[in-house]
C-alpha cells in the first residue's frame, strides 16, 4: 500500500516549484514565476495535512494465479516505503528515512509530509544559500594549493554526482559547572657576572565557574560521516528559520535515523571539550601550563531537531571514488584527496638535503669560532 506524497506546483501554470538558494524563493522554471516561502506554505498547509493522512488502496481482481508470489523483500523490507507521485501517479520506492526526493519518471520534486508529522517535525531549518554552481566552484578552489595532489587528478577526474541534501541534526542545550587545577611555571633568565642563572617559579592555578551552551549540533544521520559533518561546521544560526517543507523542493532530505538519546554522548563530549578549552584560555602569563585536576558537572536541557544544508559531491578518478561535503550555507568543505607519493618522496629528499646543509653550515661555523 502506497502513501501519498506532495509536490509544490506553481499557482500560475501548475509547473513544479523548486527552492532557489539564490533568491530564497520558490521558483517555477516554466513560467519564471517566483513566490515567497510563506505564501506557498499558507496555500499548501491544508493540502499537506491531507496528504500526510491520505492512504490509497489498490486491489487487483481477476483469474490470475499469484499464489507463488511474495511481498517479502527480505532484510531490506523494513527500510523501504512506497509512495504515489501526485503529478504522474507513479509509485516510488524510497528508504524509510527519505523525506524529500524527486520522481524518476516525471522529474518533479516531491516531499513526504508524513515524515515530519508530530514528534518528527523539525524545529528549525537553515535554507540553502549556495547554488550547485557555487558548490562546484568551491570544490575547484579546494584543489588549489595542494602540492601533493596528482596532476592527472585535476585533468581527468569527473564530478559524477552532486546533490543538495538537508541533513538532520540534533541541537542540545546544557549548562556546565567546572573546577580545574593547573600546574604552571614561569621561567626567568638572569645574567650574574659570567653566569647565566635560570629561575623557575612553580604555581598551582585554580579556576571555577559555569558555562551555558545552546544548540550544540550533532548530526542525526547514520549515512553521513561524522567527521565530515563536524569539519564543515559552523553553521550561521542567525539564518535559522522555523521549519517548513516549502524549503525542501529541489533537494533531498532525510529524517533522523539516530535518535536524540543515542546522540547524547557525542554532544556531551563536544561540550566537555569546549569547557576545557574555555577554562584553559583563562590561564595566561605562564611559560608552561599542565592540567592536573578537573571536575565537570553537566546538567542537560532540551534537545531540538533541525535540518542543515549540505552539498554532497562524488568524483571519480582512475576507478576510485572520492566524496566531498560542502556546507550549503558557508561553503566550508571537507573531503579526502589522492596523494602523489612520488611528489611526497621528492619533497622529503629536498627537505632532508636542506636540513643536512644547515647542520653542516652550523658545524663549520662552530669549528671556525
Amino acid at each position: 500500500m502506497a502513501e501519498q506524497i506532495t509536490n509544490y506546483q506553481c499557482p500560475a501554470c501548475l509547473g513544479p516549484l523548486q527552492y532557489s538558494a539564490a533568491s530564497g524563493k520558490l521558483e517555477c522554471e516554466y513560467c519564471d514565476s517566483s513566490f515567497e516561502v510563506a505564501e506557498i506554505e499558507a496555500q499548501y498547509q491544508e493540502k499537506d495535512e491531507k496528504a500526510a493522512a491520505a492512504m490509497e488502496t489498490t486491489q487487483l481482481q481477476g483469474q490470475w494465479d499469484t499464489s507463488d508470489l511474495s511481498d517479502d523483500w527480505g532484510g531490506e523490507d523494513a527500510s523501504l516505503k512506497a509512495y504515489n507521485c501526485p503529478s504522474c501517479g507513479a509509485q516510488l520506492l524510497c528508504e524509510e528515512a527519505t523525506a524529500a526526493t524527486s520522481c524518476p519518471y516525471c522529474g518533479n520534486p516531491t516531499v513526504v509530509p508524513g515524515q515530519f508529522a508530530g514528534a518528527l517535525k523539525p524545529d528549525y531549518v537553515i535554507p540553502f544559500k549556495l547554488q550547485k554552481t557555487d558548490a562546484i566552484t568551491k570544490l575547484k578552489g579546494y584543489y588549489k594549493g595542494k602540492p601533493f595532489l596528482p596532476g592527472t587528478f585535476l585533468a581527468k577526474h569527473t564530478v559524477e554526482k552532486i546533490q543538495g541534501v538537508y541533513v538532520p541534526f540534533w541541537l542540545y542545550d546544557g549548562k556546565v559547572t567546572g573546577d580545574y587545577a593547573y600546574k604552571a611555571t614561569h621561567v626567568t633568565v638572569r645574567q650574574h657576572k659570567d653566569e647565566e642563572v635560570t629561575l623557575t617559579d612553580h604555581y598551582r592555578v585554580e579556576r571555577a565557574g559555569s558555562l551555558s551552551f545552546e544548540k550544540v549540533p550533532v548530526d542525526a544521520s547514520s549515512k553521513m560521516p561524522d567527521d565530515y559533518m563536524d569539519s564543515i561546521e559552523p553553521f550561521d544560526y542567525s539564518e535559522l528559520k522555523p521549519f517548513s517543507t516549502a524549503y525542501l523542493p529541489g533537494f533531498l532530505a532525510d529524517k533522523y535515523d539516530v535518535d536524540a538519546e543515542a546522540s547524547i554522548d557525542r554532544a556531551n563530549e563536544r561540550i566537555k571539550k569546549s569547557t576545557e578549552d574555555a577554562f584553559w584560555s583563562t590561564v595566561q602569563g605562564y611559560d608552561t601550563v599542565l592540567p592536573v585536576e578537573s571536575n565537570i558537572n553537566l546538567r542537560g536541557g532540551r534537545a531540538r531537531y533541525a535540518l542543515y544544508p549540505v552539498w554532497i559531491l562524488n568524483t571519480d578518478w582512475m576507478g576510485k571514488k572520492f566524496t566531498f561535503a560542502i556546507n550549503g550555507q558557508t561553503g566550508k568543505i571537507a573531503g579526502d584527496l589522492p596523494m602523489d607519493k612520488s611528489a611526497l618522496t621528492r619533497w622529503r629528499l629536498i627537505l632532508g638535503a636542506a636540513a643536512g646543509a644547515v647542520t653542516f653550515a652550523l658545524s663549520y661555523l662552530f669549528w671556525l669560532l
Side-chain angles (χ1 to χ4, degrees):
M1 179 170 57
E3 298 181 23
Q4 191 62 35
I5 56 180
T6 296
N7 60 24
Y8 290 91
Q9 294 178 320
C10 174
C13 72
L14 299 183
L17 293 175
Q18 297 197 38
Y19 180 78
S20 170
S23 65
K25 297 181 180 181
L26 287 160
E27 296 183 349
C28 175
E29 62 180 14
Y30 292 95
C31 68
D32 294 328
S33 298
S34 61
F35 305 89
E36 295 290 343
V37 168
E39 178 184 359
I40 297 298
E41 183 182 26
Q43 291 184 22
Y44 272 76
Q45 182 176 1
E46 183 178 354
K47 181 179 178 181
D48 283 346
E49 292 173 355
K50 291 180 179 179
M55 298 182 70
E56 177 185 353
T57 303
T58 302
Q59 190 172 25
L60 293 176
Q61 297 180 352
Q63 303 302 316
W64 301 99
D65 181 9
T66 60
S67 59
D68 61 341
L69 298 181
S70 172
D71 60 0
D72 182 8
W73 287 65
E76 297 180 353
D77 183 44
S79 64
L80 297 174
K81 296 188 73 173
Y83 305 98
N84 285 328
C85 175
S87 294
C88 68
Q91 189 172 108
L92 311 179
L93 197 63
C94 306
E95 291 186 8
E96 187 179 21
T98 299
T101 183
S102 60
C103 176
Y105 301 98
C106 66
N108 285 346
T110 55
V111 176
V112 185
Q115 298 288 56
F116 299 123
L120 299 180
K121 182 180 179 180
D123 298 286
Y124 306 107
V125 60
I126 295 180
F128 273 86
K129 196 170 183 178
L130 269 66
Q131 301 181 78
K132 182 180 293 187
T133 53
D134 299 325
I136 294 175
T137 299
K138 290 288 183 181
L139 181 62
K140 291 180 179 178
Y142 185 66
Y143 299 154
K144 295 181 179 179
K146 304 291 192 298
F148 304 126
L149 186 66
T152 56
F153 180 81
L154 297 176
K156 295 183 179 180
H157 89 287
T158 57
V159 177
E160 285 194 333
K161 186 177 181 181
I162 174 170
Q163 180 66 60
V165 181
Y166 278 106
V167 178
F169 274 78
W170 294 113
L171 308 181
Y172 295 89
D173 297 341
K175 186 173 183 179
V176 176
T177 56
D179 299 280
Y180 286 85
Y182 305 90
K183 182 171 69 174
T185 64
H186 185 268
V187 179
T188 304
V189 179
R190 297 176 181 175
Q191 194 70 30
H192 181 70
K193 297 183 179 179
D194 295 334
E195 296 181 338
E196 187 177 79
V197 179
T198 300
L199 299 176
T200 303
D201 297 314
H202 296 266
Y203 302 88
R204 177 183 171 88
V205 182
E206 297 181 350
R207 293 289 186 268
S210 61
L211 294 171
S212 294
F213 293 87
E214 290 186 4
K215 300 183 180 68
V216 176
V218 176
D219 72 276
S221 172
S222 61
K223 292 179 287 188
M224 292 294 175
D226 292 340
D227 54 346
Y228 277 30
M229 294 301 100
D230 292 348
S231 297
I232 63 174
E233 292 180 19
F235 288 86
D236 182 0
Y237 284 1
S238 68
E239 295 183 359
L240 274 174
K241 307 286 187 184
F243 175 75
S244 168
T245 56
Y247 291 106
L248 306 186
F251 302 96
L252 295 182
D254 286 346
K255 72 174 185 180
Y256 67 86
D257 62 357
V258 181
D259 63 30
E261 290 293 329
S263 301
I264 286 177
D265 288 344
R266 283 194 63 216
N268 288 346
E269 188 61 34
R270 301 192 75 176
I271 291 174
K272 178 183 176 183
K273 180 64 169 60
S274 296
T275 302
E276 291 173 348
D277 292 343
F279 276 86
W280 182 287
S281 67
T282 67
V283 184
Q284 299 180 359
Y286 301 96
D287 293 300
T288 64
V289 178
L290 291 174
V292 291
E293 296 177 17
S294 67
N295 180 34
I296 303 176
N297 294 305
L298 171 63
R299 186 171 72 249
R302 64 176 296 191
R304 284 169 283 194
Y305 179 24
L307 298 182
Y308 285 175
V310 179
W311 284 105
I312 302 296
L313 294 90
N314 293 301
T315 65
D316 179 85
W317 176 70
M318 297 184 66
K320 297 180 180 179
K321 306 294 182 181
F322 297 89
T323 300
F324 304 89
I326 301 178
N327 187 315
Q329 181 193 39
T330 67
K332 192 174 180 182
I333 187 170
D336 295 325
L337 290 169
M339 180 179 293
D340 186 341
K341 294 182 179 180
S342 60
L344 178 61
T345 300
R346 288 195 299 270
W347 271 97
R348 286 175 174 171
L349 291 174
I350 292 172
L351 292 176
V358 170
T359 302
F360 175 79
L362 291 175
S363 299
Y364 182 71
L365 181 60
F366 179 78
W367 181 77
L368 291 176
L369 295 176

